[in-house]
Amino acid sequence: MSKKVFKNKMNGLSDDELMHVLENSNKYQKDAIDAVIDIAKSRGLEISKFQQEIEKERVEEKEVEKKLDKKYEQNILKFVPKIIGVYQILGGLFLFLMSIFLSDFRMVAWAQVFLVLLVFFSIVGGYLFLKQKKYGAFLCVINQSLQIIRFQFLGFTLKYYTGISAGVIIESSFLNELSFSFNLTPGASFILGPIYTMNDFFGLNVIPILFIYYIYRHKEILTKM
């Protein structure tokens, strides 16, 4: 609730009740306390002692919040390149090995070109971001963006992920029945082209969305420094 709403609700409190609220200010929202202070002042009550204590507590809370925010930003700077960089390198290597040894990765020449580019984006982008070099974040964002959506429609399939795929799958059967499921799959997969099955599907992978968010948070923190 806003300060105005709190004032309307608390105008009916007695002076003793207002003072009781101020004595226990840590139990109430900031807007509620500000509303009580305004009401107490309008009634000419002596509340300077409470105001000083409340202001002191708020200053201390802000200092704690600043320290927590600083620690959070330091953790992002320290761990995000390591986690995402290593994740992409291992994912790219795994995808490359699977493309060699598994039959599912035998595909037409133009799709193989895409596969090579994806392996490049994953491994090189991960390495550059791990070392915090130029274009590392850019290549990682490209690689992760391509993993957000998967689909199969009218026999054409796009499916790509490295590491972990976690998200929602919407599937349509040949009877036009829709089904929703949550999918969690480790490993790597790349399919691009015609695959004829009876069902169409659309999927959303939340892992790359999370990674892209932290890549941009990392960039934002670096820009402020």
Side-chain angles (χ1 to χ4, degrees):
M1 289 187 289
S2 66
K3 179 180 174 181
K4 183 178 180 181
V5 174
F6 277 118
K7 286 183 73 172
N8 291 334
K9 290 175 68 70
M10 294 183 173
N11 261 324
L13 296 179
S14 66
D15 293 352
D16 289 340
E17 288 173 326
L18 292 176
M19 300 300 279
H20 178 75
V21 171
L22 293 176
E23 287 176 2
N24 299 274
S25 59
N26 59 330
K27 298 180 180 180
Y28 299 90
Q29 297 180 28
K30 179 180 180 296
D31 286 338
I33 297 301
D34 289 340
V36 170
I37 290 174
D38 287 350
I39 296 170
K41 284 182 177 180
S42 68
R43 296 182 186 180
L45 301 178
E46 178 54 47
I47 59 169
S48 57
K49 176 183 176 182
F50 296 119
Q51 280 187 283
Q52 291 174 2
E53 292 177 353
I54 291 168
E55 288 301 321
K56 182 180 178 181
E57 290 175 357
R58 289 180 177 178
V59 170
E60 291 174 351
E61 287 175 359
K62 286 182 179 179
E63 289 299 320
V64 171
E65 289 176 0
K66 285 182 180 179
K67 289 180 181 179
L68 291 175
D69 289 342
K70 188 69 176 179
K71 186 176 181 180
Y72 174 68
E73 290 182 350
Q74 289 173 347
N75 286 336
I76 287 178
L77 290 176
K78 182 178 180 181
F79 293 112
V80 166
K82 293 180 180 179
I83 293 172
I84 296 180
V86 171
Y87 180 91
Q88 287 215 166
I89 292 171
L90 295 178
L93 290 173
F94 193 44
L95 180 66
F96 177 71
L97 293 174
M98 290 184 71
S99 70
I100 295 175
F101 296 110
L102 295 185
S103 60
D104 289 345
F105 284 80
R106 295 170 188 167
M107 57 192 76
V108 296
W110 60 269
Q112 291 178 357
V113 173
F114 275 98
L115 175 61
V116 172
L117 289 175
L118 294 176
V119 171
F120 171 83
F121 282 136
S122 188
I123 296 177
V124 176
Y127 175 79
L128 292 177
F129 191 50
L130 176 63
K131 298 298 182 179
Q132 300 195 49
K133 301 292 186 179
K134 190 175 182 181
Y135 300 122
F138 175 71
L139 291 176
C140 285
V141 168
I142 291 178
N143 182 52
Q144 294 301 321
S145 297
L146 294 172
Q147 299 182 53
I148 294 175
I149 294 175
R150 69 179 66 175
F151 67 87
Q152 179 169 291
F153 183 68
L154 298 180
F156 186 87
T157 302
L158 170 63
K159 181 181 179 183
Y160 167 53
Y161 69 88
T162 59
I164 300 175
S165 173
V168 178
I169 302 292
I170 305 172
E171 191 170 7
S172 173
S173 69
F174 70 101
L175 296 175
N176 292 323
E177 296 178 347
L178 290 178
S179 63
F180 298 82
S181 61
F182 180 80
N183 175 267
L184 178 62
T185 309
S189 178
F190 176 67
I191 302 173
L192 179 65
I195 293 182
Y196 298 102
T197 62
M198 300 181 69
N199 297 343
D200 292 331
F201 67 83
F202 176 85
L204 185 68
N205 186 1
V206 299
I207 299 296
I209 296 174
L210 186 65
F211 280 178
I212 291 171
Y213 167 77
Y214 277 107
I215 290 170
Y216 277 105
R217 284 291 290 124
H218 180 271
K219 182 178 179 181
E220 180 184 16
I221 294 168
L222 283 178
T223 304
K224 293 192 301 183
M225 296 178 65

